[in-house]
Amino acid sequence: NILWRYFAWSNQMISLFALAGIGAWMCVNKKAKFVWMPLIPAAFYAFVTSSFILNAKIGFNLPWPAAYGVAAAFTIVYLVVILMNGKKKAGERAAA
């Protein structure tokens, strides 16, 4: 039963990598004005998956207020990294 909880959490974390890749790809391929489309579900998944593992007994076992605070900070950092990486890759592609 515990193994399946880790599996479900890791499956959602894989979706975060996929959405980050899509966001960066959109920035590189001159579709940056639509990057908000993958960033909305990415923000939701980042918040939910990080707050789960921070609060769960199989994770860090933090109380909900602390888990929500850390999850919100993680979500903001995650989105900023996606956007900065996309802009950096777009600049590298334009220079080449």
Side-chain angles (χ1 to χ4, degrees):
N1 193 15
I2 291 174
L3 180 63
W4 286 109
R5 289 187 208 161
Y6 280 120
F7 179 75
W9 175 77
S10 65
N11 191 29
Q12 294 299 320
M13 291 303 289
I14 291 170
S15 72
L16 287 177
F17 288 111
L19 289 167
I22 292 168
W25 179 86
M26 290 180 83
C27 288
V28 169
N29 290 299
K30 300 178 184 172
K31 297 176 183 355
K33 66 181 178 179
F34 299 112
V35 77
W36 59 271
M37 289 178 167
L39 289 186
I40 291 173
F44 174 76
Y45 280 141
F47 184 78
V48 170
T49 56
S50 58
S51 64
F52 167 76
I53 202 67
L54 289 167
N55 176 261
K57 290 180 183 176
I58 62 170
F60 293 96
N61 203 19
L62 293 176
W64 278 115
Y68 285 154
V70 174
F74 171 76
T75 301
I76 291 168
V77 169
Y78 171 75
L79 295 174
V80 168
V81 167
I82 291 172
L83 293 173
M84 289 177 61
N85 186 34
K87 288 181 181 183
K88 177 183 171 190
K89 299 256 184 225
E92 289 173 0
R93 185 173 182 177

